[in-house]
C-alpha cells in the first residue's frame, strides 16, 4: 500500500490541502493549525450528534425511555454512551508532502465526554481517521528544537486521546505516512494512539532524525480502556522506547513490526494483553520488556538481533509470557523471567510458557500442529480510487430515507474494479450481490440502515459475495445501531479469497458462508449483535426493549469449512461469538464482551488463538472455549471488575461423548477476579 489516491469528488474525504484547511506541505509552512482544525471538525460533528441525542432523550417523559440499545434512561438517569445516530463519516487525507508542525496535532474540545447514569464519564475520541497518500513521501515533521518538547515533556506529535480513559473510541485510524520528531526534541512522543473495538495503525514510519536518536517514545498507548487496536507494518527508528504500552485493561495486537536504535528498551509493556507476531528488533537494549503484574505477552515468529551482554532479548519481569519461534542473537540472555529462568540465546526453546500448559485429555496435538510461522498476509488490492466508481454516480442518495438498494447494485454491476460510498447513511431493503469482477468495496465509513423486512429475515446476507477468481476486499464500515436485525452483513457464497478490513457493525452479525472452501482474512473487525448491555445476565425485559430486534442468538462470525486468518477481531454479546465449523481458524488478538462462548470449534475444526481478552461475564455456566471433537490451542486472559462478571468455565472439551471442564479456580490469577489461560491445548 504505497500510494492511496482519492478523487477530489469523494465527499467522505477531507483533503487538508484544500479549503477551508489549506495546509501547505512544503516543509517550511507551519501546518499545525490546519491539521488541528481538520480533526476538530470531525470530532465536532460527532459531539453535535451526541448533544442532539442527549436533548432527545432528556425530552422523553418516561424515566426508563429507550432510544436505542444503549441510549436510554435508567430510573430517570441519562445513559448516553455515544450518539444514537452517527454523523457523516470522514477520512482526513494528507496528500504527499512534508507537513511541518510546532505543537501536538489533536482535537481541542474540553467537553468531548459521554454521559453514563447522569455523570460525565468516558471520552468520545472516536472516528479520527488520518490517511496519507504515500508512506514515505507523506511526512508530519516536528520542528527542530521545538518549544514544549524538551527532555521530560513526554509530549506527542500526534495524539488520539487527551483524557484518561475511553470505551467508545471506535474506528480511529492512522495509516500510510511518516512521523518525524526532528532534531533536539528529546521529550517528543511520535504517536500516542487510542481506540476501542476497531482501530488501526498501519503502514507507518515513526523516526527520530536527531543525531543521537533522542525522543521519548515512538509509539505509545498509555490510557484505559484500550481494545481492538491492530498495529501492522510499523517501523520505529530511535527514541528511548520504540513502543510503550502502560494501559492495564484489555488488549492489542501487532504484526510486522521493525524497531531499531532504541536507547532504553524496544517494546515496553506494563499491563494489557499484547500479541506480537513478526517483530524484528535491531538493538543492544532489551528488545521486549514486560513488567506489569496484569500484563500478558504473546510473542511469536520474531527475530531479535544486535544485543548486549548485559541485556536479555526478552525480559518477562512480571506478568505472563508465551514465547514461540523467537530467534535472538548477540544478547547475554535470550529470555529472563521472574521465576529465575536465564535462558541463553543458543538454548532458546521453540516454545516457552511462563505458567505452564493445561490439557484435559491425553494424546493432545503438538504445538507444531498449530504453527503460525507460515501465516500468509492478505493480498494487495488496488488503491487508486480515481479508477473506482461511486455509488452516487448510479443514483444512491445516502440520506437514510431513499431506498438505495437498486443504485448500489447498479454500481457493483458496472464492471468497475472498485466501488466506494459517499458520506451518508444508506437504506438497503433487500440483499445486494457482489459480482465476480469487483475487487474493492469501500464503504468509506458510511452508515447503513436495514429495511424492516430485511432486518427481520434471519440467515440472509445484506451483501452476498458471488463466485469469482480475483480476491475481494470489503472495508471501512461503521454500521451503527439503527443497522440492526437478524440478517447478517456478509454472506459468502464463494470460494474466492476474501479480506474483511475495518468493519464495525453495532447491531447485526458480520459474517457467514454458505459455500465451504476458500480463504478469509479478517483484519480489525468488530461486531455487536445488538441487545441491551447486560441483557444476558437478567430475565426481565427493559421497557421498550422489545422494539429493537436483537440477534444475540446468532454468532457474530460463523466460518464453515474455511481457512480463516483473523488479526484483531472483536465480537460481542452473542450467545456464541465465533464458530469454527470444520475449518481452520487462526486468531491474533481479540476481545469479547458478555457471557457468550468466545470460540466454539466443531466437526474436526482447528482453532488457534494467540492472545486476547474476554470481558464482563455473567457468572453463567457458558464456557469461554468449547471444543467438540476438534482441535484448539488458546492463550488469553479475562477482564473482570466485580463478582457479578465471572467466567466460571474457561474450557469445555468434548471428545467422543466424554466431557471435561477446565474451571476458573484451576488457572493462575491475573488480577482480582480475572484469570489467565497461559496455554490450553486440546
Amino acid at each position: 500500500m504505497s500510494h492511496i489516491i482519492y478523487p477530489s469528488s469523494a465527499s467522505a474525504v477531507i483533503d487538508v490541502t484544500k479549503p477551508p484547511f489549506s495546509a501547505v506541505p512544503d516543509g517550511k509552512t507551519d501546518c499545525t493549525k490546519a491539521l488541528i482544525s481538520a480533526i476538530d471538525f470531525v470530532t465536532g460533528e460527532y459531539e453535535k450528534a451526541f448533544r442532539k441525542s442527549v436533548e432527545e432523550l432528556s425530552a422523553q417523559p418516561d424515566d426508563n425511555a429507550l432510544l436505542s440499545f444503549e441510549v436510554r434512561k435508567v430510573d430517570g438517569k441519562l445513559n448516553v454512551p455515544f450518539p444514537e445516530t452517527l454523523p457523516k463519516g470522514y477520512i482526513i487525507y494528507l496528500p504527499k508532502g512534508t507537513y511541518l508542525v510546532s505543537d501536538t496535532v489533536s482535537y481541542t474540545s474540553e467537553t468531548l465526554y459521554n454521559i453514563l447514569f447522569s455523570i460525565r464519564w468516558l471520552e468520545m475520541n472516536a472516528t479520527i481517521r488520518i490517511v496519507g497518500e504515500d508512506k514515505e513521501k507523506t511526512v508530519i515533521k516536528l520542528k527542530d528544537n521545538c518549544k514544549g518538547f524538551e527532555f521530560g515533556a513526554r509530549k506527542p506529535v500526534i495524539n488520539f486521546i487527551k483524557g484518561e480513559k475511553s470505551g467508545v473510541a471506535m474506528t480511529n485510524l492512522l495509516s500510510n505516512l511518516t512521523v518525524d520528531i526532528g532534531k533536539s526534541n528529546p521529550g517528543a512522543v511520535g504517536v500516542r494512539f487510542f481506540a476501542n473495538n476497531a482501530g488501526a495503525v498501519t503502514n507507518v514510519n515513526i523516526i527520530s532524525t536527531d543525531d543521537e536518536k533522542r525522543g521519548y517514545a515512538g509509539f505509545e498507548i498509555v490510557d484505559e480502556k484500550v481494545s481492538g487496536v491492530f498495529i501492522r507494518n510499523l517501523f520505529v527508528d530511535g527514541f528511548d522506547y520504540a513502543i510503550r504500552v502502560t494501559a492495564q485493561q484489555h488488549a492489542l495486537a501487532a504484526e510486522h513490526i521493525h524497531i531499531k536504535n532504541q536507547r532504553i528498551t524496544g517494546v515496553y509493556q506494563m499491563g494489557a494483553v499484547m500479541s506480537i507476531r513478526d517483530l524484528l528488533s535491531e538493538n543492544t537494549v532489551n528488545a521486549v520488556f514486560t513488567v506489569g503484574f496484569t500484563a500478558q505477552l504473546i510473542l511469536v515468529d520474531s527475530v531479535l538481533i544486535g544485543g548486549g551482554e548485559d541485556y536479555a532479548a526478552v525480559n518477562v519481569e512480571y506478568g505472563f509470557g508465551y514465547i514461540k519461534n523467537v530467534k535472538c542473537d548477540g544478547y547475554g540472555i535470550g529470555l529472563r523471567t521472574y521465576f529465575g529462568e536465564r535462558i541463553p540465546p543458543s538454548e532458546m526453546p521453540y516454545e516457552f510458557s511462563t505458567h505452564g500448559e493445561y490439557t484435559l485429555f491425553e494424546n493432545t496435538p503438538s504445538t507444531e500442529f498449530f504453527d503460525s510461522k507460515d501465516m500468509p498476509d492478505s493480498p494487495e488490492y488496488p488503491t487508486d480510487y480515481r479508477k473506482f466508481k461511486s455509488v452516487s454516480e448510479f443514483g444512491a442518495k445516502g440520506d437514510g430515507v431513499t431506498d438505495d438498494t437498486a443504485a448500489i447494485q447498479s454500481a457493483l454491476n458496472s464492471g468497475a474494479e472498485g466501488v466506494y460510498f459517499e458520506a451518508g447513511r444508506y437504506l438497503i431493503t433487500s440483499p445486494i450481490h457482489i459480482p465476480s469482477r469487483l475487487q474493492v468495496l469501500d464503504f468509506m465509513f458510511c452508515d447503513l440502515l436495514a429495511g424492516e423486512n430485511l432486518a427481520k429475515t434471519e440467515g440472509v446476507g445484506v451483501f452476498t459475495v458471488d463466485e469469482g477468481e480475483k480476491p475481494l476486499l470489503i472495508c471501512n464500515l461503521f454500521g451503527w445501531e439503527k443497522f440492526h436485525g437478524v440478517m447478517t452483513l456478509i454472506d459468502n457464497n464463494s470460494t474466492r479469497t476474501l479480506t474483511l478490513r475495518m468493519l464495525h457493525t453495532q447491531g447485526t452479525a458480520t459474517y457467514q458462508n454458505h459455500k465451504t472452501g476458500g480463504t478469509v482474512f479478517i483484519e480489525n473487525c468488530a461486531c455487536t449483535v445488538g441487545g441491551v448491555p447486560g441483557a444476558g445476565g437478567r430475565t426481565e425485559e427493559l421497557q421498550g426493549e422489545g422494539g429493537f430486534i436483537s440477534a444475540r442468538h446468532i454468532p457474530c462470525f460463523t466460518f464453515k469449512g474455511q481457512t480463516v486468518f483473523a488479526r484483531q477481531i472483536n465480537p460481542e454479546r452473542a450467545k456464541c461469538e465465533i464458530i469454527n465449523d470444520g475449518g481452520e481458524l487462526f486468531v491474533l488478538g481479540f476481545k469479547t464482551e458478555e457471557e457468550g462462548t468466545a470460540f466454539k470449534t466443531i466437526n474436526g475444526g482447528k482453532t488457534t488463538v494467540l492472545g486476547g481478552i474476554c470481558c464482563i461475564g455473567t457468572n453463567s455456566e457458558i464456557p469461554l472455549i468449547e471444543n467438540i471433537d476438534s482441535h484448539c490451542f488458546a492463550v488469553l486472559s479475562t477482564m473482570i471488575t466485580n463478582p457479578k462478571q465471572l467466567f466460571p468455565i474457561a474450557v469445555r472439551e468434548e471428545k467422543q461423548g466424554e466431557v471435561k471442564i477446565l474451571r476458573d479456580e484451576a488457572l493462575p490469577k491475573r488480577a482480582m477476579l480475572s484469570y489467565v489461560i497461559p496455554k490450553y491445548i486440546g
Side-chain angles (χ1 to χ4, degrees), residues 205-271:
N205 300 322
I206 305 176
I207 61 175
S208 170
T209 48
D210 184 82
D211 293 339
E212 299 178 28
K213 297 294 183 182
R214 290 181 299 170
Y216 181 64
F219 177 89
E220 68 177 13
I221 295 176
V222 298
D223 301 286
E224 311 296 343
K225 315 169 180 179
V226 62
S227 66
V229 169
F230 181 45
I231 309 162
R232 188 178 202 180
N233 294 333
L234 174 67
F235 171 65
V236 182
D237 185 5
F239 301 90
D240 293 342
Y241 304 91
I243 298 173
R244 184 172 174 269
V245 177
T246 63
Q248 298 296 302
Q249 298 186 56
H250 303 331
L252 62 151
E255 186 179 41
H256 305 327
I257 309 299
H258 183 189
I259 60 176
K260 63 187 296 187
N261 297 322
Q262 276 70 62
R263 294 155 53 93
I264 296 178
T265 287
V267 178
Y268 181 85
Q269 178 195 13
M270 198 177 169

Side-chain angles (χ1 to χ4, degrees), residues 252-552:
L252 62 151
E255 186 179 41
H256 305 327
I257 309 299
H258 183 189
I259 60 176
K260 63 187 296 187
N261 297 322
Q262 276 70 62
R263 294 155 53 93
I264 296 178
T265 287
V267 178
Y268 181 85
Q269 178 195 13
M270 198 177 169
V273 179
M274 190 169 184
S275 302
I276 307 174
R277 179 178 178 270
D278 186 25
L279 168 67
L280 171 59
S281 172
E282 299 178 82
N283 275 299
T284 57
V285 299
N286 301 110
V288 181
F289 198 112
T290 298
V291 68
F293 286 101
T294 61
Q296 186 179 28
L297 169 70
I298 297 93
L299 177 66
V300 300
D301 307 332
S302 296
V303 177
L304 318 175
I305 58 176
E309 269 307 305
D310 298 324
Y311 289 95
V314 181
N315 190 341
V316 184
E317 185 165 295
Y318 297 112
F320 306 84
Y322 176 78
I323 318 296
K324 186 182 75 171
N325 190 30
V326 173
K327 298 177 176 62
C328 50
D329 181 59
Y331 287 93
I333 301 171
L335 172 65
R336 175 165 50 203
T337 79
Y338 64 88
F339 287 118
E341 289 95 352
R342 301 290 188 273
I343 302 174
S346 60
E347 298 177 18
M348 280 285 285
Y350 182 74
E351 179 192 42
F352 185 90
S353 172
T354 59
H355 289 71
E357 72 174 39
Y358 292 78
T359 60
L360 294 173
F361 288 91
E362 295 180 355
N363 301 319
T364 56
S366 67
T367 298
E368 286 77 7
F369 183 73
F370 300 94
D371 227 337
S372 59
K373 64 179 182 295
D374 297 323
M375 182 179 178
D377 290 338
S378 57
E380 294 288 331
Y381 294 95
T383 57
D384 187 347
Y385 284 65
R386 295 172 300 181
K387 299 178 181 179
F388 294 2
K389 295 291 185 180
S390 165
V391 294
S392 66
E393 297 178 46
F394 299 85
K397 301 299 182 184
D399 57 12
V401 177
T402 305
D403 185 349
D404 287 322
T405 309
I408 296 170
Q409 187 66 73
S410 294
L412 298 180
N413 291 343
S414 66
E417 66 178 7
V419 169
Y420 66 89
F421 283 66
E422 305 290 349
R425 178 175 298 101
Y426 293 82
L427 173 62
I428 299 174
T429 57
S430 60
I432 292 173
H433 284 261
I434 301 176
S436 60
R437 179 161 180 167
L438 194 75
Q439 296 179 60
V440 177
L441 175 59
D442 193 334
F443 291 102
M444 290 279 209
F445 297 105
C446 74
D447 196 0
L448 301 178
L449 182 62
E452 183 176 0
N453 290 336
L454 181 60
K456 293 180 178 179
T457 306
E458 187 168 341
V460 70
V462 178
F463 292 87
T464 297
V465 179
D466 291 341
E467 194 61 84
E469 294 182 1
K470 291 186 176 181
L472 170 66
L473 168 66
I474 304 176
C475 61
N476 300 334
L477 175 67
F478 201 17
W480 205 230
E481 289 202 341
K482 288 190 175 180
F483 182 59
H484 70 265
V486 294
M487 74 292 182
T488 298
L489 174 67
I490 296 167
D491 180 14
N492 190 359
N493 196 31
S494 78
T495 57
R496 65 195 296 196
T497 298
L498 175 64
T499 301
L500 308 181
R501 180 181 297 156
M502 205 72 169
L503 303 179
H504 183 135
T505 57
Q506 190 69 11
T508 188
T510 295
Y511 180 88
Q512 65 186 24
N513 65 296
H514 277 99
K515 182 178 284 190
T516 59
T519 300
V520 180
F521 294 91
I522 307 287
E523 297 175 0
N524 209 47
C525 292
C527 172
T528 302
V529 291
V532 176
R538 57 178 169 79
T539 56
E540 76 281 5
E541 187 176 273
L542 292 179
Q543 185 175 343
E545 185 179 350
F548 299 95
I549 304 172
S550 173
R552 289 175 63 90

